[in-house]
Amino acid sequence: MARGSPTFLDRLLHVDRRLIFLFVALSVTVPILVPLGLPVSTTAPTQAAYDYIESLRPGDYVWLSFDYGPSSAPENDPMAEGFMRHCLSKDLKVIVCALYPLGGLGLANNSMARVAAEFPNKQYGVDYINLGYKDGAEAVMRTLGANIADAFPTDVNGRNLSEFPMFGATPSKREDGMVVGHTLGIKSIKEVKVVFTAATGLIGEYWITLVNSQFGTPVIIGPTAVSAPKYYAFLSSGQLKGMLGGMKGAAEYEQLLIKNRPDLAELYGATKLFTATKGMDAQTGIHLVIILFILIGNVAFFLFRMREAKEGGR
Amino acid sequence: MNIQPGIVILWIFFGVLPIVGFLLGLRAPAMRRQVPLVLAFLAGIIPILSIYIPKVFLADPDIGMSPRLDKYLIIVAGFALPLGIVNVIQNSSRRAARREKGWPYSVVLLFGLFVTGALGIYGAVTGEGIGFRQDGTSTPFKWIEDNAFRPLQATIFALLAVFMASAAFRAFRARNTEATILLIAGVLVMMGRVPLLEFLTAPFPGLQPAAAQGSRTLGLLTEWIMNVPNSAAQAGIIIGAALGAAAMAIRVILGIERSYLGLEKGE
């Protein structure tokens, strides 16, 4: 260590953490205030997720589970809302639930209200529905395999599921008003074409190990960036149809929507939404700061070891 | 009324047996240990049997014992929440009463718990719920969630980025071979996940094509790291953890592991 007054090398080795905090603050706030519009490339797991949704037919049922809380909302919100927009734009029927206890329901309510307002021609209970929150994620998932109404007897507003055409028997009417038959609603999660779980923690894994492995329902996951590495093993094994890894994955999905779906491109371009694409500017800034400080730390570390070796050799 | 034998058996075991066990347990304390062990064995063995012997009384979605047990499990899971609330109230009130270090935080926690809980119960009782009202306005519960809970949670998580940067500077050093491999992989992944080269060359438009090509290469390298070494290691960890969980489940079902009852082995 330094003898007497600290040298430049000592200062480099022990950078004041407040200086690091200042750089972090600048690297995040500046790109948010002055968007850079950096390009976003597409990775294979996101492309696979997008392609799978594209392969579905109008009228197919999809399931969206809000399995995260406010702490990871900046990462998970854009992916959940992007998925919902994609599905409603393709005339898929979206069933929403929340299994995360710390605020998952509030996030589901907010996102659904936001996205539903963008699709005024879509009808609650016919094109999309919010089943609300249920405690005991694993038990809920196993029950969904038998009967959705056993796990969620009512929607988030307390209305019986059988009241909604998505779940009950609906008289099919001709244009002249004559009843010509009944369309049966969905009963089990086995009939759902895909489950999308925007997840933090373990709940995302339960969807794979319980719903995909036991009932065969395809699963796409949108995990936070820190938990994304774990899910590559499930992608390799074919247990996941695709993955939107962290804010990067969400930004990739947004870019695919903008590129391929003109109605959504207009929406993403015209509104003042917080999008993952905007968030990627800030993420790039923070990655740069972290890499720079790691480099500085290592250069100082090697110089220090060289100085010690030299002093030891005297 | 159509009485299903599987459901009757479940009611006998999970409804009558605990009550009889409790009453007998008042006279013979051993019953307090034996009855929970029997219930754990049945709750564990019925779902397993329903997979290997998919008979109607075991596996049918409407009348089977295993799907019925799943429904009971949702109810049992719901009881975990009141238990957690009781625990928080006990610990926090004790800390506040004894004026232990940081006791004002416990008071704030209890205040938040009671106010938010009361508003949630109010929403349930009045029928307006805990989300949006019919006219689209927020209920008081939702107002607290949006204006207090969400910002606080987001703030705590946002601090992670600040501390990660500081910790990475101090800890991510090439001290030995393993640390160097981790360091290189970490930096490559961080570079490959964001358009860093485009960001750095933004003031120089002539360098942008080369930067884009570099980013693509880094992206491919990152995907390889994630798909091959990372995936292999993660698969090993997941399989190991699953085998461990299965072994523990067998111990619980067979009554070897009794710590969940507060008992030691052999008790």
Side-chain angles (χ1 to χ4, degrees):
Chain A
M1 282 298 291
R3 299 175 193 89
S5 59
T7 61
F8 175 70
L9 181 57
D10 294 322
R11 286 204 187 99
L12 213 55
L13 269 171
H14 303 98
V15 172
D16 189 338
R17 67 170 62 191
R18 285 170 298 186
L19 190 69
I20 301 175
F21 296 168
L22 179 68
F23 272 96
V24 169
L26 286 173
S27 70
V28 173
T29 49
V30 171
I32 288 174
L33 295 172
V34 188
L36 303 168
L38 292 169
V40 178
S41 58
T42 309
T43 55
T46 309
Q47 185 71 54
Y50 180 86
D51 290 343
Y52 188 79
I53 303 300
E54 276 296 301
S55 72
L56 302 181
R57 289 180 303 182
D60 281 345
Y61 283 82
V62 295
W63 193 285
L64 170 59
S65 187
F66 283 74
D67 303 328
Y68 62 96
S71 56
S72 63
E75 281 188 287
N76 292 120
D77 268 353
M79 49 179 86
E81 291 176 15
F83 174 81
M84 215 184 313
R85 288 186 183 107
H86 190 186
C87 292
L88 289 177
S89 161
K90 270 190 67 68
D91 293 328
L92 305 177
K93 292 182 184 294
V94 184
I95 303 166
V96 168
C97 79
L99 300 181
Y100 190 75
L102 292 174
L105 175 60
L107 296 165
N109 288 340
N110 287 354
S111 288
M112 179 161 263
R114 206 158 31 229
V115 175
E118 296 161 3
F119 293 86
N121 58 328
K122 299 292 176 189
Q123 205 182 332
Y124 184 80
V126 177
D127 301 299
Y128 63 94
I129 195 166
N130 185 355
L131 301 184
Y133 169 75
K134 187 67 70 178
D135 203 21
E138 287 170 287
V140 172
M141 287 175 202
R142 280 181 55 85
T143 306
L144 290 174
N147 190 352
I148 293 168
D150 283 341
F152 294 97
T154 65
D155 79 334
V156 71
N157 300 315
R159 288 176 62 189
N160 200 304
L161 278 202
S162 59
E163 290 178 34
F164 299 103
M166 287 172 84
F167 293 95
T170 315
S172 304
K173 289 181 182 175
R174 284 201 317 232
E175 280 185 7
D176 58 7
M178 180 179 271
V179 175
V180 290
H182 284 78
T183 310
L184 283 177
I186 192 168
K187 190 190 174 203
S188 148
I189 203 160
K190 291 172 191 167
E191 298 162 56
V192 165
K193 294 294 177 190
V194 69
V195 170
F196 181 90
T197 163
T200 181
L202 274 172
I203 298 178
E205 205 172 317
Y206 296 158
W207 282 110
I208 303 167
T209 52
L210 288 170
V211 174
N212 176 260
S213 301
Q214 296 190 15
F215 309 134
T217 310
V219 174
I220 295 173
I221 195 164
T224 52
V226 288
S227 45
K230 177 171 69 179
Y231 293 107
Y232 276 86
F234 293 108
L235 274 169
S236 305
S237 65
Q239 288 168 282
L240 277 174
K241 285 286 174 196
M243 176 173 76
L244 280 59
M247 193 177 279
K248 158 88 167 148
E252 291 173 22
Y253 203 80
E254 281 173 2
Q255 290 302 312
L256 287 168
L257 292 176
I258 290 168
K259 195 171 136 192
N260 299 315
R261 303 202 72 85
D263 52 334
L264 296 180
E266 198 179 321
L267 180 82
Y268 276 105
T271 57
K272 300 285 180 191
L273 298 172
F274 170 78
T275 63
T277 310
K278 287 178 194 166
M280 279 306 285
D281 288 348
Q283 191 155 314
T284 307
I286 185 78
H287 276 212
L288 177 66
V289 166
I290 292 175
I291 289 169
L292 280 178
F293 274 106
I294 288 173
L295 283 176
I296 291 168
N298 277 282
V299 168
F301 177 67
F302 277 109
L303 290 175
F304 176 72
R305 285 207 345 196
M306 280 166 65
R307 190 178 75 181
E308 275 204 328
K310 201 185 285 179
E311 284 175 356
R314 276 183 199 159
Chain B
M1 194 178 155
N2 188 12
I3 298 170
Q4 302 297 336
I7 293 169
V8 172
I9 293 168
L10 280 182
W11 272 106
I12 291 169
F13 278 122
F14 291 93
V16 178
L17 185 64
I19 295 168
V20 172
F22 174 76
L23 293 174
L24 290 176
L26 295 175
R27 295 173 68 96
M31 286 301 289
R32 291 182 205 162
R33 293 195 290 270
Q34 303 305 333
V35 171
L37 288 175
V38 171
L39 293 178
F41 174 78
L42 289 168
I45 205 78
I46 290 171
I48 296 172
L49 286 178
S50 74
I51 291 172
Y52 293 105
I53 314 166
K55 297 287 182 193
V56 170
F57 75 99
L58 274 171
D60 184 90
D62 296 318
I63 56 165
M65 292 167 82
S66 181
R68 181 62 61 132
L69 267 182
D70 291 333
K71 287 181 212 169
Y72 297 169
L73 192 54
I74 296 177
I75 298 166
V76 173
F79 276 94
L81 200 63
L83 279 177
I85 292 169
V86 168
N87 189 263
V88 166
I89 292 171
Q90 281 180 337
N91 286 336
S92 300
S93 54
R94 191 185 308 124
R95 184 173 293 167
R98 291 178 185 170
R99 298 287 193 274
E100 288 176 18
K101 193 182 173 191
W103 67 269
Y105 300 117
S106 298
V107 175
V108 173
L109 174 64
L110 288 172
F111 178 76
L113 177 70
F114 283 117
V115 169
T116 315
L119 291 175
I121 292 168
Y122 172 79
V125 171
T126 57
E128 71 175 15
I130 57 169
F132 295 108
R133 294 193 184 101
Q134 292 291 333
D135 60 2
T137 56
S138 295
T139 58
F141 182 91
K142 178 133 187 66
W143 188 88
I144 285 194
E145 187 188 342
D146 285 346
N147 296 286
F149 178 66
R150 281 194 72 166
L152 285 169
Q153 279 249 311
T155 305
I156 298 294
F157 199 64
L159 288 174
L160 193 65
V162 178
F163 291 115
M164 261 170 62
S166 177
F169 169 70
R170 282 171 175 76
F172 245 1
R173 294 197 177 154
R175 294 176 206 278
N176 51 42
T177 313
E178 291 87 351
T180 309
I181 292 169
L182 188 67
L183 172 68
I184 292 168
V187 170
L188 281 174
V189 170
M190 271 195 282
M191 288 175 77
R193 295 290 286 173
V194 293
L196 196 64
L197 298 178
E198 284 98 329
F199 180 76
L200 290 171
T201 55
F204 315 104
L207 292 176
Q208 285 287 300
Q213 182 58 43
S215 278
R216 268 194 294 277
T217 310
L218 274 171
L220 290 173
L221 192 58
T222 298
E223 280 301 294
W224 181 85
I225 291 170
M226 289 298 195
N227 274 323
V228 183
N230 165 69
S231 188
Q234 295 287 352
I237 293 167
I238 292 167
I239 292 168
L243 288 173
M248 177 57 88
I250 290 169
R251 286 172 62 85
V252 170
I253 290 169
L254 297 179
I256 301 165
E257 178 62 49
R258 300 173 176 202
S259 56
Y260 68 97
L261 292 172
L263 301 173
E264 296 297 324
K265 195 177 175 185
E267 260 192 275

